[in-house]
Amino acid sequence: MSDEETNKPCVVRIAPSPSGYLHVGTARTAIFNWLYARKHNGKFLIRIEDTDTERSEADLIQPILDALKWLGMESDEDIVYQSTRDEIHRSYVAKLLDSGSAYRCFCSKERLAEVRELAMKEKRAPRYDRTCANLSEQEVTAKVEAGDSFVIRIKIPEGSTTYTDMVLSDITRENSEIEDFVVARANGSALYNLAVVVDDHEMGVTDVIRGNDHITNTFKQIHIYRALELNAPRFAHVPLLLRPDKRKISKRLGDKDVAEYGADGVLPQTMFNYLCLLGWSPKDGREIMAREEIMEAFDVQGINKNNPVFDVQKLNAFNKEHIKIAPIEQLLELISPKLQEAGLVSSDWLADEDNQLYLAKVIDLMRERMRIVDDFIVSAGFFFTDEFGYDQKGDRKQFVPESADRLTALADAFDSASTFDLEALEAALDEVAEKHDVKRAAFIHPTRLAVSGLTVGPGLFDLLVLVGKEKTLARMRRAADYIRTKKTEVTP
Ligand code: GLU
């Protein structure tokens, strides 16, 4: 039954375990959940699964929340911290014991190891042999009173279990594949799968969208829902992200987390867009999409089953497209500190309004060519300093002896032009090129190298106008002098 039919608003959640920073895979699962909630007028919640105290680190929680926020996702209600819910979990453990759906297991580690070994020898799947399921009430009481240690296992019924996955359709597992697994410790505290079920139920979660590595947990959780006589949510299992070498993405293999990509200059809208398209695509095949367009087009049924590859080259290509259309304020905010860090400008310089306008113009001119924000520092540094060297290859190719006189002649023509704008500069170039009887290119390339130190960049005249008359002429004359010195050095 769909939510439209039941009229029940949907509630989804992302439940990160703070055992590392925000992984791109978790970010993508969060995005799918967030989109689903927005699409169905539902709620998107965040639950921090911080019960595993050995692995979880409190210091990692805030960075995870920050990275989710950076991607534009915040919890629609107070964040739930699983570690604070121990009492609630315990009450459900008691319910399971009271109803007889779970039982205490007193088997020692050694005995369990023997059971496992025997199963392996007989080539059976290792599973608990239910010895303690058959203890009488008196036997159990006696053992508890004697202080024997125990865990609490759920009774898995005979038969098979089927559920309809929103991505993978009907999935069936034989119940015999699942042993009577442990749901709680002797002290009554719940283990992972039970805690998830209790929290999802209490948070009113209607739809669980998570990685397909959780399918086995899903079957276990369905058994817990049944034992507790609760309705299970709908499930959607999304494909896992892989590295280009088809291994799972992993910090240990050097894969970056979301915040690290952000620090490298990937825009949040790029990350959101790219992650969404890993495993999902709109019907019309569009790639570069704004968040609103994705929200419009998103459909959980459109998620496919194959595990997609997270490709940094592709991410950068997406970023290039998003930089072209990003609001200038966002780029100013990202680029300003990087310029300062690179020592190209000072904080006083940045505080000046005219300089902000200049910087915005430079960004607008350069954004067509930037893949990541850091590219700006390399390709636009000359807008902020005179201290740059010449590209070595360009130097050899463009700064040939004849270029010295050409640069001087063109600088003189620019100097005497009535204005320093595109038309005037272009007309001056045409005139000088004709007079020297050479192609425009013989002037254009050395001029670009003289003024920017680089051989590639935006349209030359746009660049010169923005650098300004004074600096352009000085740099052209400086390059002419340099070429003449070079000439005398190489031809004694
Ligand atoms: N804490 C789990 C994880 O980080 C999420 C479990 C779930 O979504 O149910 O993989």
Side-chain angles (χ1 to χ4, degrees):
M1 215 184 307
S2 73
D3 278 335
E4 284 82 13
E5 284 165 279
T6 57
N7 231 358
K8 215 169 109 197
C10 85
V11 178
V12 296
R13 74 345 182 238
I14 181 76
S17 311
S19 53
Y21 293 109
L22 187 68
H23 184 276
V24 287
T26 313
R28 194 203 39 168
T29 306
I31 292 172
F32 285 154
N33 276 285
W34 188 88
L35 285 168
Y36 189 81
R38 295 294 96 104
K39 189 88 196 174
H40 298 272
N41 282 327
K43 278 185 192 162
F44 169 82
L45 307 181
I46 298 178
R47 177 172 75 233
I48 300 290
E49 302 209 318
D50 53 350
T51 42
D52 191 349
T53 40
E54 264 168 48
R55 278 196 316 147
S56 306
E57 281 192 40
D59 290 354
L60 292 169
I61 296 175
Q62 197 53 45
I64 290 174
L65 296 174
D66 289 345
L68 287 169
K69 190 171 172 190
W70 180 74
L71 287 167
M73 295 180 286
E74 289 184 88
S75 186
D76 291 328
E77 284 179 5
D78 286 348
I79 293 167
V80 172
Y81 292 86
Q82 196 162 58
S83 60
T84 63
R85 301 175 51 79
D86 186 46
E87 281 307 313
I88 300 168
H89 299 153
R90 281 167 189 274
S91 66
Y92 282 83
V93 175
K95 276 187 200 171
L96 285 173
L97 282 174
D98 287 350
S99 67
S101 311
Y103 60 90
R104 292 180 178 81
C105 169
F106 299 90
C107 292
S108 64
K109 274 197 189 121
E110 294 71 29
R111 169 153 204 282
L112 294 175
E114 277 166 26
V115 171
R116 210 172 308 128
E117 255 167 52
L118 185 66
M120 305 278 251
K121 228 185 255 163
E122 293 175 0
K123 303 223 169 357
R124 285 182 286 113
R127 43 189 286 238
Y128 179 58
D129 64 359
R130 292 193 162 156
T131 303
C132 294
N134 303 317
L135 294 176
S136 70
E137 227 170 277
Q138 289 85 334
E139 284 172 304
V140 171
T141 314
K143 282 178 182 291
V144 173
E145 277 170 10
D148 290 2
S149 75
F150 61 88
V151 291
I152 295 159
R153 291 182 184 272
I154 186 164
K155 262 188 209 158
I156 303 294
E158 303 295 312
S160 64
T161 301
T162 301
Y163 83 91
T164 305
D165 193 286
M166 288 192 278
V167 173
L168 305 169
S169 311
D170 283 1
I171 311 188
T172 302
R173 288 253 168 110
E174 290 306 315
N175 293 356
S176 58
E177 286 176 30
I178 300 175
E179 65 172 353
D180 287 357
F181 61 93
V182 178
V183 289
R185 302 177 184 91
N187 66 9
S189 67
L191 290 184
Y192 174 72
N193 279 302
L194 180 56
V196 170
V197 166
V198 171
D199 291 344
D200 280 343
H201 170 67
E202 296 239 334
M203 288 163 73
V205 171
T206 56
D207 298 84
V208 169
I209 304 171
R210 60 187 171 200
N212 65 19
D213 51 340
H214 282 286
I215 293 178
T216 300
N217 284 332
T218 295
F219 279 98
K220 290 183 174 176
Q221 291 171 15
I222 289 172
H223 286 295
I224 299 176
Y225 280 107
R226 288 183 181 165
L228 286 167
E229 296 181 344
L230 300 173
N231 285 331
R234 275 181 299 245
F235 293 100
H237 287 89
V238 304
L240 295 186
L241 299 187
L242 301 180
R243 295 161 45 87
D245 63 9
K246 299 286 156 70
R247 286 196 279 176
K248 264 175 75 173
I249 290 186
S250 137
K251 183 98 205 147
R252 262 174 297 119
L253 297 172
D255 295 314
K256 292 181 181 166
D257 61 67
V258 170
E260 284 173 314
Y261 284 113
D264 283 352
V266 171
L267 302 179
Q269 57 267 48
T270 306
M271 194 53 118
F272 191 97
N273 184 179
Y274 181 59
L275 286 177
C276 252
L277 291 197
L278 292 178
W280 172 82
S281 53
K283 292 195 179 79
D284 57 11
R286 263 175 305 167
E287 286 208 314
I288 303 302
M289 295 169 84
R291 179 190 297 261
E292 293 68 29
E293 293 174 300
I294 298 171
M295 267 160 72
E296 188 65 33
F298 184 75
D299 174 10
V300 76
Q301 266 90 28
I303 295 177
N304 56 48
K305 301 177 175 67
N306 303 329
N307 294 340
V309 170
F310 181 96
D311 178 354
V312 180
Q313 301 303 327
K314 193 95 200 270
L315 174 73
N316 287 341
F318 267 59
N319 207 41
K320 187 163 191 274
E321 297 308 313
H322 275 284
I323 286 176
K324 285 184 193 165
I325 53 174
I328 189 72
E329 297 75 27
Q330 185 187 13
L331 296 180
L332 275 170
E333 208 171 295
L334 284 170
I335 287 172
S336 298
K338 288 189 184 268
L339 274 178
Q340 210 182 325
E341 265 166 48
L344 290 165
V345 299
S346 65
S347 55
D348 285 350
W349 189 93
L350 283 170
D352 183 282
E353 244 175 69
D354 286 346
N355 290 342
Q356 283 286 317
L357 283 177
Y358 175 67
L359 178 53
K361 280 189 195 158
V362 176
I363 293 173
D364 262 335
L365 184 62
M366 301 302 289
R367 60 156 90 202
E368 287 289 320
R369 330 183 61 86
M370 285 158 62
R371 255 173 342 119
I372 54 169
V373 173
D374 284 3
D375 286 348
F376 185 85
I377 306 302
V378 180
S379 56
F382 67 87
F383 280 105
F384 310 94
T385 179
D386 292 324
E387 285 163 34
F388 54 81
Y390 300 117
D391 176 271
Q392 285 184 2
K393 248 191 177 160
D395 185 346
R396 280 197 300 276
K397 193 159 169 223
Q398 306 300 345
F399 284 172
V400 289
E402 308 81 66
S403 294
D405 288 347
R406 286 180 193 154
L407 281 170
T408 308
L410 187 58
D412 289 345
F414 284 167
D415 201 3
S416 40
S418 53
T419 49
F420 199 77
D421 59 21
L422 296 187
E423 293 86 64
L425 297 187
E426 193 134 22
L429 170 69
D430 284 342
E431 208 185 303
V432 179
E434 205 175 307
K435 211 153 110 198
H436 284 243
D437 198 21
V438 287
K439 284 197 185 127
R440 282 159 53 108
F443 287 88
I444 289 178
H445 297 311
T447 303
R448 176 186 296 286
L449 188 61
V451 179
S452 71
L454 303 170
T455 54
V456 287
L460 178 67
F461 296 113
D462 291 311
L463 180 158
L464 299 183
V465 170
L466 206 47
V467 167
K469 182 171 181 175
E470 203 184 312
K471 284 197 169 141
T472 296
L473 299 187
R475 289 179 188 181
M476 287 172 81
R477 290 185 171 127
R478 178 177 72 176
D481 288 347
Y482 163 74
I483 297 170
R484 288 188 188 103
T485 336
K486 208 166 72 150
K487 197 165 78 177
T488 44
E489 272 169 14
V490 288
T491 48

